Amino acid sequence: MASKTWQEIARAAREHRDRSIAEVKPPLPEIRSEDLPLNVTAIPWKHLSSFEIELTETSPEKLVKSLASGELTSTEVTNAFLRRAGIAQKLTNCITELLPSRALARAAYLDSYLSTHKTPIGPLHGLPISVKEHVGMQGLGQNAGFVSWWDHTAPEDAHLLQLLWNAGCVFYARTTQPQTLMHLETSNNLYGETVNPYNTSLTAGGSSGGEGALLGMRGSCLGVGSDIGGSIRSPAANNGVYGLRPTSGRLPASGFAATMMGQEHVLPVMGPLSTTLEGCKLFMRTIIDQKPWLKEPSLVPVPWQMNDQARFGAKNGKKKLSVGVLWNDGVVKPHPPITRALKEVVETLNTVPDIEIVDWKPYKHDLAWEIIASLYFADGAKEEKEAIAASGEPWRPLSHFIITENQYCKELTVPEVWNLTAQREKYREEYAQLWNETAVDGDPDTVVDVILCPVGPGAAPPLDHARYWGYTAQWNLLDYPALVFPVSTVDQHKDVVEKDYDPMNDQDRWNYELYAPDKYVDAPVSLQLVGRRFDDEKIIEALEFMKETARI
Amino acid sequence: MASKTWQEIARAAREHRDRSIAEVKPPLPEIRSEDLPLNVTAIPWKHLSSFEIELTETSPEKLVKSLASGELTSTEVTNAFLRRAGIAQKLTNCITELLPSRALARAAYLDSYLSTHKTPIGPLHGLPISVKEHVGMQGLGQNAGFVSWWDHTAPEDAHLLQLLWNAGCVFYARTTQPQTLMHLETSNNLYGETVNPYNTSLTAGGSSGGEGALLGMRGSCLGVGSDIGGSIRSPAANNGVYGLRPTSGRLPASGFAATMMGQEHVLPVMGPLSTTLEGCKLFMRTIIDQKPWLKEPSLVPVPWQMNDQARFGAKNGKKKLSVGVLWNDGVVKPHPPITRALKEVVETLNTVPDIEIVDWKPYKHDLAWEIIASLYFADGAKEEKEAIAASGEPWRPLSHFIITENQYCKELTVPEVWNLTAQREKYREEYAQLWNETAVDGDPDTVVDVILCPVGPGAAPPLDHARYWGYTAQWNLLDYPALVFPVSTVDQHKDVVEKDYDPMNDQDRWNYELYAPDKYVDAPVSLQLVGRRFDDEKIIEALEFMKETARI
């Protein structure tokens, strides 16, 4: 590597990517960027067959049924997603490589398996799944956004991928991530920036931004992301798809490449992004049903337990769904489209007798950020600095933001880390107490079930402007499961700038001044449902109940 | 404190303890140490009424029944245990203070409650429970074995104690622990050494050695200990009682005093010691049924689930119990009484068709020790050194052993801790793989259920000689639940020195040379059952099944 400049390595990375896309058959068209609208989500329709469009716009839960019955072949489904992913790359720059030959070989094997055995190999039989690049695939690159890591390869498939594979999936696409993996955007010096398919002047979010953009383009229906501060949820929200950050210890967390391996102060997790809520459920159930804790003993043997009957509602003989609404975290006020969407959802929920809405008051979210931001880089980001310096690549703006400009990024001693960890536990206990105190007359069944809140301080911002992590990192600090779902898009008429707003602080002012509706044309608006630790199933059931009763 | 010498503080501590014991009514006799045999377990019979003897020798499960029915009053049970604990102190030096007035007030309240409501307040109604000193009781001292901490007091009851209290127990005795809490014995400069009731020239074990000796004396039937390297199991084994080190995350772990608060590299846990296996079960169920995770969010919401029907055996329509026997950890060979007891148990188990015995080969237990011993004191034991230096008290021999003489005790940087943590996880995954590989023909139902092994390299050693932690710390590193149960006592005829043994290494030689049967007269011999993470219930059920089928 030493003999190559970072630019040469980046060129090699892009050529490798482009060659992999060029293998897709039939060949994909050239797309001239100067002819494109800001919203490129409809472009694939011009270049794909109607069958390909239909396949790639089918939900994962429906695809697995058709694949299991033999109504569809994995080969045709995989090829359709390969082609749409190739187009998505040309429009949003979300791919690090496609895997056409191995994916189609796998698909052919699965098709043959089904035809021989008359039964699918597993619950994901034949389903194409996209994967964020730093999640290891044996023998393939694993650069985690650093130019100097371009020649790193994974010794084996990540445990999570092994289990998806056992369940019958097809890996066909690997997706982009930012330098350091620690941006809520996706910008690195190997591939450049991943942009938002709804408005290419905006970010796809990050760090699983390649997944977000690919799913937004419907070049994937189910993908693997990772999240230590919002990295599944930001791209899910920005691209109008579903994303789940599970409680740590439920899904395998080994086998990805990143700095700071072995740090446990803030646990990174992997999880699904999907075009449907059912896709996220399918993902979770498929993994957890395989008892991943037997191989990866840091995981907790809690089975996946969705209630067969609804968990909520009088007609099910159950309690009301109690929703705490966090309008504003007390640090940075969300932009008008977010607050408007939240209001609309709450108004609708308020019409449902089986749903109870209460205000959820923010509790020291600034302190939460101070703790987690101190714990993110307890070595003072030494490893990140070295990994960047090793190739001579420039620092991307948001790497600067989260490391150099981050007042909490300091090299700590071991006792300082212990002290911060103790503070983290104290804060977690205080937040737990807030939940406990919502019990009416001491009846624990009456506590708030879920918190409904923004996913960020706005919709997808212009590139290099995702500078506030509080609405997602808050729940990482607490290790709460959090589910992102699409609600709306920015409305040029309704979502006007709030006049005469008096910002609470500098961060709030910065965010306030960032907003103008015309910068955010077509941007998806999403919201987040948050539960207590290990309430992964409950937040999904809550959203299902809200969809069923309030049609949100 | 600065104005007092450590000797003056120690004197004050002993006087405080003695005053608390002097409050017990009727007053306890003077016991002249020069008249005592080495085995003092029978001495209480001379000084207690037959009713007091009967009460204190009743199992906790039977006591709670009689207390709940009103057949016994908490006042009489508590007073009997107070008196026997006071005698135990005079014989083994296991108490830091008795709590006669608050315990009897609590007992009187509970007696009155039962008489008014005709129903017990909770599943431990009226049961006296002893507690290791460093587990906080509001307003009471919490010295953790350091002279300089003598004036520290707990701001509130530890969460675990709150839950025991909710269940109706009576706290009446607080027990000794060693300087630093990091010995497998119990020796400190406030109170001196806690000795073994079966042979007072031997150690009671540690660090929950006060609990061990008190239970061995039947001055308690159920007590609270803590364990980060064997601290529940060593004293349980040395004193012939039961002790359970649960998987971390199942029982509350907050509210105890110790150095290194906030360190998570090796999680300390609290757990029960009891004169019966049922006592340990009662403890676990009582705590976990109260959903401690709602208040302490680091805990995992795994309910306590004992199978109503037996988990093993053809007559229950279940699988065989598969027991892996670890005879020797490959580092230090156990003394003859341990191996003899293990052989006897295995021979008996072999007669049971529903039990299958396989050899469990040790896997790099020396590496396991290297990792855990490095992680114990990642600050180079800075805090321990300061806490000792603050009063000028001398270092106890085993503090020297585990800190100064411990080649792995070094001040580490944060990245070094991450690296060791990653090594720990790798080792855990490799050990998990060993379990998985015991599956016959890939059937996961056939894997080894439990490992049966020594608790230490010998029975309770002479004072200041507990220098090998491997047989217990191994399972802390792996975070496996481990249950200690009494099996035998050292037999002067059977347990002869093994001639011509060629030690494997210096540690092994040291341990080999330590043994002579006449040093270990009457010492209890115990064994340990170990399960995979979260198999707490399973190891208890396995021991129950072994007891039922093989009468061990």
Side-chain angles (χ1 to χ4, degrees):
Chain A
M1 298 291 284
S3 60
K4 286 193 183 158
T5 65
W6 73 263
Q7 293 92 339
E8 286 167 338
I9 297 167
R11 193 173 316 120
R14 293 173 197 206
E15 283 168 5
H16 173 85
R17 175 197 65 200
D18 293 344
R19 274 196 305 276
S20 77
I21 295 173
E23 284 173 38
V24 172
K25 302 273 164 35
L28 298 167
E30 281 304 304
I31 296 178
R32 289 165 54 97
S33 57
E34 52 270 36
D35 303 337
L36 294 174
L38 281 178
N39 184 333
V40 296
T41 52
I43 306 292
W45 298 339
K46 296 190 203 165
H47 301 291
L48 296 173
S49 72
S50 58
F51 187 47
E52 286 169 335
I53 294 168
E54 186 194 327
L55 289 177
T56 50
E57 296 183 8
T58 302
S59 68
E61 63 272 22
K62 204 165 161 207
L63 283 176
V64 290
K65 273 190 200 145
S66 305
L67 285 160
S69 70
E71 194 189 324
L72 293 175
T73 67
S74 181
T75 301
E76 62 200 2
V77 175
T78 300
N79 208 54
F81 276 106
L82 278 165
R83 297 196 77 234
R84 193 156 183 158
I87 294 169
Q89 163 57 26
K90 292 168 194 278
L91 296 166
T92 64
N93 195 26
C94 56
I95 295 291
T96 66
E97 64 183 322
L98 293 183
L99 306 168
S101 62
R102 61 164 76 192
L104 290 168
R106 167 74 169 166
Y109 167 77
L110 292 166
D111 289 337
S112 145
Y113 182 97
L114 186 73
S115 118
T116 309
H117 295 82
K118 312 293 174 205
T119 181
I121 206 164
L124 301 181
H125 184 98
L127 188 74
I129 286 185
S130 53
V131 183
K132 189 177 183 179
E133 195 263 5
H134 80 133
V135 182
M137 290 193 191
Q138 188 173 14
L140 298 185
Q142 202 177 18
N143 63 59
F146 295 114
V147 174
S148 64
W149 288 18
W150 161 246
D151 61 353
H152 291 197
T153 53
E156 61 178 356
D157 286 353
H159 184 198
L160 183 73
L161 300 194
Q162 292 174 23
L163 301 180
L164 292 169
W165 181 271
N166 293 348
C169 84
V170 175
F171 296 120
Y172 71 107
R174 307 183 71 214
T175 58
T176 52
Q177 65 227 338
Q179 185 186 50
T180 76
L181 289 164
M182 294 295 280
H183 307 179
L184 292 183
E185 300 198 11
T186 297
S187 142
N188 66 57
N189 292 311
L190 286 163
Y191 309 104
E193 285 166 330
T194 303
V195 297
N196 193 306
Y198 287 88
N199 180 332
T200 55
S201 74
L202 304 176
T203 177
S207 66
S208 313
E211 285 302 316
L214 184 61
L215 282 141
M217 290 297 305
R218 298 298 183 267
S220 171
C221 64
L222 183 58
V224 178
S226 59
D227 193 317
I228 197 172
S231 284
I232 287 171
R233 290 160 292 156
S234 142
N238 289 5
N239 297 285
V241 299
Y242 293 82
L244 175 65
R245 181 247 173 241
T247 307
S248 71
R250 297 212 68 180
L251 295 186
S254 63
F256 62 80
T259 51
M260 303 187 284
M261 299 310 288
Q263 80 79 11
E264 299 182 311
H265 327 310
V266 186
L267 288 173
V269 296
M270 292 193 264
L273 294 90
S274 178
T275 50
T276 66
L277 180 56
E278 281 294 323
C280 294
K281 279 171 67 173
L282 179 63
F283 186 101
M284 295 297 289
R285 188 179 66 234
T286 298
I287 300 300
I288 295 176
D289 281 359
Q290 292 181 70
K291 302 186 178 175
W293 50 83
L294 292 178
K295 185 179 161 90
E296 193 170 329
S298 63
L299 309 183
V300 176
V302 173
W304 185 252
Q305 289 176 310
M306 299 290 289
N307 276 9
D308 286 340
Q309 293 129 357
R311 192 191 287 258
F312 307 106
K315 76 165 175 158
N316 304 306
K318 298 286 167 59
K319 70 187 288 282
K320 289 183 179 187
L321 167 62
S322 175
V323 180
V325 179
L326 178 79
W327 296 94
N328 178 329
D329 73 356
V331 185
V332 172
K333 186 180 180 183
H335 288 163
I338 307 298
T339 302
R340 188 255 311 159
L342 195 46
K343 267 190 196 148
E344 288 174 0
V345 168
V346 168
E347 274 165 25
T348 315
L349 296 181
N350 262 327
T351 64
V352 179
D354 270 339
I355 297 180
E356 193 165 55
I357 302 287
V358 298
D359 277 343
W360 185 274
K361 292 203 182 62
Y363 177 75
K364 301 184 186 174
H365 287 220
D366 47 352
L367 174 64
W369 174 249
E370 180 179 337
I371 297 170
I372 198 169
S374 305
L375 287 170
Y376 275 143
F377 302 101
D379 65 345
K382 189 165 173 281
E383 255 188 283
E384 288 75 9
K385 290 169 185 170
E386 286 172 0
I388 292 173
S391 69
E393 66 173 308
W395 281 60
R396 305 297 293 199
L398 291 183
S399 303
H400 261 303
F401 162 71
I402 199 65
I403 292 175
T404 325
E405 299 166 35
N406 171 2
Q407 63 173 309
Y408 304 116
C409 174
K410 288 181 208 149
E411 186 177 345
L412 303 176
T413 64
V414 168
E416 284 169 340
V417 169
W418 294 342
N419 181 269
L420 280 161
T421 306
Q423 285 183 47
R424 185 200 70 199
E425 281 312 297
K426 180 167 180 288
Y427 185 78
R428 286 180 175 177
E429 288 180 16
E430 288 167 2
Y431 224 92
Q433 188 57 21
L434 292 182
W435 285 89
N436 294 340
E437 283 168 4
T438 62
V440 179
D441 299 328
D443 175 4
D445 265 2
T446 62
V447 295
V448 161
D449 292 298
V450 291
I451 298 173
L452 175 65
C453 62
V455 195
L463 295 172
D464 292 330
H465 282 72
R467 293 169 68 95
Y468 185 67
W469 294 32
Y471 284 96
T472 46
Q474 173 71 21
W475 316 119
N476 296 82
L477 182 72
L478 293 166
D479 193 22
Y480 286 169
L483 175 64
V484 164
F485 58 100
V487 171
S488 180
T489 53
V490 171
D491 187 307
Q492 296 298 312
H493 303 291
K494 292 181 188 165
D495 299 331
V496 296
V497 171
E498 187 183 6
K499 298 285 181 218
D500 308 322
Y501 176 66
D502 183 22
M504 299 179 277
N505 53 56
D506 288 348
Q507 277 178 296
D508 192 31
R509 177 180 313 281
W510 190 90
N511 187 63
Y512 171 71
E513 290 173 356
L514 179 63
Y515 184 69
D518 60 356
K519 281 200 255 178
Y520 289 83
V521 174
D522 286 355
V525 175
S526 304
L527 292 174
Q528 185 173 214
L529 266 193
V530 175
R532 302 181 82 160
R533 280 191 87 210
F534 291 95
D535 275 350
D536 305 72
E537 291 91 332
K538 192 184 199 179
I539 58 175
I540 292 176
E541 288 176 359
L543 184 56
E544 287 177 335
F545 189 72
M546 285 159 58
K547 282 174 173 286
E548 183 193 316
T549 55
R551 310 216 165 280
I552 63 156
Chain B
M1 300 290 286
S3 59
K4 288 193 185 159
T5 64
W6 73 264
Q7 293 91 338
E8 286 167 337
I9 297 167
R11 193 173 316 120
R14 293 173 198 207
E15 284 168 5
H16 172 85
R17 175 197 66 202
D18 293 344
R19 274 197 304 276
S20 78
I21 294 172
E23 284 173 39
V24 173
K25 300 273 162 36
L28 297 166
E30 282 304 304
I31 296 179
R32 291 164 55 96
S33 58
E34 55 268 37
D35 302 337
L36 294 173
L38 281 177
N39 184 333
V40 296
T41 52
I43 306 293
W45 298 341
K46 296 190 203 166
H47 302 291
L48 296 173
S49 72
S50 58
F51 187 47
E52 286 170 335
I53 294 169
E54 187 194 328
L55 289 176
T56 51
E57 296 184 9
T58 300
S59 68
E61 63 273 22
K62 205 166 159 205
L63 283 176
V64 290
K65 273 190 199 145
S66 305
L67 285 159
S69 69
E71 194 189 323
L72 293 176
T73 67
S74 181
T75 301
E76 61 201 2
V77 174
T78 300
N79 208 54
F81 276 105
L82 278 165
R83 297 197 77 235
R84 193 156 183 157
I87 293 169
Q89 163 57 25
K90 293 169 194 277
L91 297 165
T92 63
N93 194 27
C94 56
I95 296 291
T96 66
E97 64 183 321
L98 293 183
L99 307 168
S101 60
R102 61 163 77 191
L104 290 169
R106 167 74 169 166
Y109 167 76
L110 292 166
D111 289 336
S112 144
Y113 182 96
L114 186 74
S115 122
T116 309
H117 295 82
K118 312 292 174 206
T119 181
I121 207 164
L124 301 181
H125 183 98
L127 188 74
I129 286 185
S130 53
V131 182
K132 189 176 183 179
E133 195 263 6
H134 81 132
V135 182
M137 290 193 190
Q138 188 173 14
L140 299 184
Q142 204 178 17
N143 63 59
F146 295 114
V147 175
S148 63
W149 288 18
W150 160 247
D151 61 352
H152 291 197
T153 54
E156 61 178 355
D157 286 354
H159 184 200
L160 183 73
L161 300 194
Q162 293 174 22
L163 300 180
L164 292 169
W165 181 271
N166 293 347
C169 85
V170 176
F171 297 120
Y172 72 106
R174 307 182 71 213
T175 58
T176 53
Q177 64 227 337
Q179 183 187 50
T180 75
L181 290 164
M182 295 293 279
H183 307 178
L184 293 183
E185 301 198 11
T186 297
S187 143
N188 67 57
N189 292 311
L190 286 163
Y191 309 104
E193 286 166 329
T194 303
V195 297
N196 194 305
Y198 287 87
N199 180 333
T200 54
S201 74
L202 304 175
T203 176
S207 67
S208 313
E211 285 301 316
L214 183 62
L215 282 141
M217 290 297 306
R218 299 298 184 267
S220 171
C221 64
L222 184 58
V224 178
S226 59
D227 193 317
I228 197 172
S231 286
I232 287 171
R233 291 161 291 157
S234 142
N238 289 4
N239 297 283
V241 300
Y242 293 82
L244 175 66
R245 181 247 174 242
T247 307
S248 71
R250 297 213 67 181
L251 295 187
S254 63
F256 62 81
T259 51
M260 303 187 284
M261 299 309 290
Q263 83 78 12
E264 299 182 311
H265 327 310
V266 186
L267 288 172
V269 296
M270 292 193 264
L273 294 91
S274 178
T275 50
T276 66
L277 180 56
E278 280 295 322
C280 293
K281 278 171 67 174
L282 179 63
F283 186 100
M284 295 297 290
R285 189 180 65 235
T286 298
I287 301 301
I288 296 176
D289 281 358
Q290 292 181 68
K291 301 185 177 175
W293 50 83
L294 292 178
K295 185 178 160 93
E296 193 170 327
S298 65
L299 308 183
V300 175
V302 174
W304 185 251
Q305 289 177 307
M306 299 290 289
N307 276 9
D308 286 340
Q309 293 132 354
R311 191 192 287 257
F312 308 105
K315 77 165 176 163
N316 304 306
K318 299 286 168 59
K319 69 187 289 282
K320 289 184 181 186
L321 167 61
S322 175
V323 180
V325 179
L326 178 79
W327 296 95
N328 178 329
D329 73 356
V331 185
V332 172
K333 186 180 179 183
H335 287 163
I338 308 297
T339 303
R340 189 254 312 159
L342 194 47
K343 268 189 195 148
E344 287 174 0
V345 167
V346 168
E347 274 165 25
T348 313
L349 296 180
N350 262 327
T351 64
V352 179
D354 269 341
I355 297 180
E356 192 164 55
I357 303 286
V358 298
D359 277 343
W360 185 273
K361 292 203 183 59
Y363 178 76
K364 301 184 185 174
H365 287 221
D366 46 353
L367 173 65
W369 174 249
E370 179 178 336
I371 297 170
I372 199 170
S374 305
L375 287 170
Y376 275 143
F377 302 100
D379 66 345
K382 189 165 172 283
E383 255 188 281
E384 288 76 7
K385 290 170 185 170
E386 287 172 0
I388 293 173
S391 69
E393 65 172 312
W395 281 59
R396 305 297 292 199
L398 291 183
S399 304
H400 261 302
F401 162 72
I402 199 65
I403 293 175
T404 325
E405 298 166 36
N406 171 2
Q407 63 172 309
Y408 303 117
C409 174
K410 288 181 207 147
E411 187 177 346
L412 303 176
T413 64
V414 168
E416 284 170 339
V417 169
W418 294 343
N419 181 270
L420 281 161
T421 305
Q423 285 182 47
R424 184 200 70 197
E425 281 313 296
K426 180 166 180 288
Y427 184 79
R428 286 180 175 176
E429 288 180 18
E430 288 167 2
Y431 224 92
Q433 188 58 19
L434 292 183
W435 285 89
N436 294 339
E437 283 168 3
T438 61
V440 180
D441 299 328
D443 174 4
D445 265 2
T446 61
V447 295
V448 162
D449 293 297
V450 290
I451 298 173
L452 174 65
C453 63
V455 194
L463 294 172
D464 293 330
H465 282 73
R467 293 168 68 95
Y468 185 68
W469 293 33
Y471 285 95
T472 45
Q474 173 70 22
W475 315 120
N476 295 82
L477 182 72
L478 292 166
D479 193 21
Y480 286 170
L483 175 64
V484 164
F485 58 102
V487 171
S488 181
T489 53
V490 171
D491 186 308
Q492 296 298 310
H493 303 292
K494 293 182 189 165
D495 299 330
V496 296
V497 170
E498 187 183 7
K499 298 286 182 212
D500 307 322
Y501 175 65
D502 183 22
M504 299 179 277
N505 54 56
D506 288 349
Q507 277 178 295
D508 193 31
R509 179 180 312 281
W510 190 90
N511 186 63
Y512 171 70
E513 291 173 354
L514 179 62
Y515 184 68
D518 60 355
K519 282 201 255 178
Y520 289 83
V521 174
D522 287 355
V525 174
S526 303
L527 293 173
Q528 185 172 214
L529 266 193
V530 175
R532 302 181 81 160
R533 282 191 86 209
F534 291 95
D535 275 351
D536 306 72
E537 291 91 332
K538 192 184 199 180
I539 58 175
I540 291 176
E541 288 175 1
L543 184 56
E544 287 176 337
F545 189 71
M546 286 159 58
K547 282 175 173 285
E548 183 192 315
T549 56
R551 311 217 165 278
I552 62 157

